Amino acid sequence: MKVITDIEVPERWKITNDWDSHRPLLWLCCKYTLMFLPITEFGCGEGSTKLLFNFKKGLGDNFFSYETNDDYFYKYKKYVTKINNYLDVHLSEQPFGQGLLFIDCAPAEIRKYLIEKHRNHADCLIVHDTEDGAEYVYGMKEILGTFKYRLDFEPKGLPRTTAVSNFVNIEKWI
């Protein structure tokens, strides 16, 4: 496991609040995973959806975003597929195969199950809100500790984001 506190990013990928503290690590993983198709996100929002869509623009139809919340779905419906349950999505059945998976969805308790389900169906998983202080809600510490490679991004005073992989040495990107 490697821990970093700062990542130099383009202006539009900089952190603006607690809700988008994942941006620098997400950008780093996107930068090094152009060959990994597609990029999939569970839980859309201002901190990621448009950035990921525009990152993959021109590289083919290989960005997938899923949302269960009606308000978020209608706000981002240009980019998002409405679903009832994130566990109903099967990355292994997507037409472009494995790639990058970003998990930042509600309810919080489902994230650990999504990590377990897709641990071998995505080359790299990025998960927001992995700080120890949120463990009582998210319960992801144990499952995140089972991956071969791990990179934690801990910006001072903001939620932690973790990238994990069993296939790609993400620790060498920094």
Side-chain angles (χ1 to χ4, degrees), residues 55-75:
F55 189 87
K56 290 309 254 183
K57 201 175 191 177
L59 297 174
D61 185 17
N62 52 24
F63 170 67
F64 301 93
S65 181
Y66 297 96
E67 183 57 61
T68 59
N69 179 287
D70 287 337
D71 292 337
Y72 276 103
F73 169 72
Y74 287 114
K75 186 173 182 178

Side-chain angles (χ1 to χ4, degrees), residues 72-90:
Y72 276 103
F73 169 72
Y74 287 114
K75 186 173 182 178
Y76 297 99
K77 65 182 174 182
K78 174 182 177 181
Y79 312 98
V80 177
T81 299
K82 176 76 166 82
I83 57 172
N84 292 321
N85 187 329
Y86 293 105
L87 291 168
D88 292 339
V89 178
H90 302 283

Side-chain angles (χ1 to χ4, degrees), residues 31-57:
K31 176 182 168 184
Y32 283 100
T33 59
L34 277 176
M35 69 292 244
F36 303 149
L37 300 175
I39 289 178
T40 302
E41 80 171 338
F42 290 152
C44 69
E46 197 59 40
S48 60
T49 305
K50 291 178 185 176
L51 288 170
L52 291 172
F53 175 82
N54 288 323
F55 189 87
K56 290 309 254 183
K57 201 175 191 177

Side-chain angles (χ1 to χ4, degrees), residues 119-120 122-125 146-149 164-170:
R119 67 182 298 121
N120 294 315
D123 295 304
C124 180
L125 290 85
T146 65
F147 284 82
K148 185 173 181 180
Y149 304 106
V164 290
S165 178
N166 283 325
F167 309 107
V168 181
N169 186 353
I170 56 181

